[in-house]
């Protein structure tokens, strides 16, 4: 994992095509060890306009092009997914401490935050119960 900082931030006053931050882009770049310019801003570029999370499909395709797949993992007792491997980097999502209307994503390892792509480094205020994942090389995903 090579920490990459986000370069775009949520701005409700900006035009819709420029409102969304790129914390997810920075997390994917970090996990794949790519520069942020090499990773699309999935959420901004593929806005959910008709109930279909187009960005989610685009992100899966991008990760697959880089020889990886998502493996969903458990970070809370409510989840039935498997636990992360010891020493494995994984994502944790939740409510931003800067604004309760903003969803944010950070990287954890062994139960501790190791990278927040936001410059203030405050992580998340409230962790989501599910939707956590790690990236593994395609051959390692069961």
């Amino acid at each position: 994992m090579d920490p990459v900082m986000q370069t775009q931030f949520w701005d409700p006053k900006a035009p819709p095509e420029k409102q969304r931050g790129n914390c997810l882009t920075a997390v994917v770049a970090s996990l794949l060890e790519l520069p942020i310019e090499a990773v699309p801003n999935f959420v901004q570029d593929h806005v959910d306009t008709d109930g279909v999370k187009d960005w989610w499909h685009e992100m899966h395709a991008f990760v697959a092009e880089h020889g990886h797949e998502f493996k969903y993992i458990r970070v809370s007792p409510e989840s039935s997914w498997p636990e992360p491997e010891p020493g494995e980097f994984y994502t944790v999502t939740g409510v931003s401490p800067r604004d309760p209307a903003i969803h944010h994503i950070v990287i954890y390892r062994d139960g501790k935050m190791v990278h927040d792509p936001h410059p203030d480094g405050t992580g998340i205020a409230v962790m989501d119960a599910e939707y956590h994942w790690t990236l593994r090389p395609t051959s390692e995903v069961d």
Side-chain angles (χ1 to χ4, degrees):
M1 196 270 299
D2 185 18
V4 174
M5 301 305 289
Q6 70 184 93
T7 56
Q8 187 174 328
F9 305 91
W10 169 251
D11 182 0
K13 296 177 185 169
E17 68 276 6
K18 295 188 180 197
Q19 280 183 347
R20 300 171 193 267
N22 65 350
C23 60
L24 177 60
T25 299
V27 162
V28 171
S30 298
L31 292 171
L32 291 176
E33 298 185 341
L34 296 170
I36 198 163
E37 300 82 16
V39 181
N41 184 341
F42 305 105
V43 177
Q44 182 66 63
D45 297 344
H46 303 283
V47 175
D48 179 7
T49 56
D50 60 358
V52 177
K53 292 185 176 179
D54 296 333
W55 64 267
W56 188 247
H57 301 291
E58 293 297 324
M59 187 172 65
H60 275 265
F62 179 84
V63 165
E65 288 172 12
H66 288 83
H68 286 74
E69 290 185 90
F70 291 96
K71 175 73 176 180
Y72 296 95
I73 55 155
R74 174 178 52 202
V75 295
S76 63
E78 296 85 14
S79 175
S80 61
W81 295 327
E83 292 184 13
E85 298 292 327
E88 183 172 41
F89 296 106
Y90 56 93
T91 67
V92 171
T93 59
V95 176
S96 167
R98 292 166 295 282
D99 183 335
I102 298 174
H103 204 73
H104 191 51
I105 187 167
V106 297
I107 299 174
Y108 269 55
R109 184 179 189 184
D110 298 326
K112 297 179 182 167
M113 186 179 76
V114 294
H115 178 54
D116 180 353
H118 192 279
D120 75 8
T122 55
I124 55 175
V126 179
M127 182 187 297
D128 288 336
E130 298 210 10
Y131 309 111
H132 307 288
W133 44 263
T134 187
L135 290 179
R136 291 186 182 158
T138 304
S139 62
E140 293 181 21
V141 176
D142 19 75

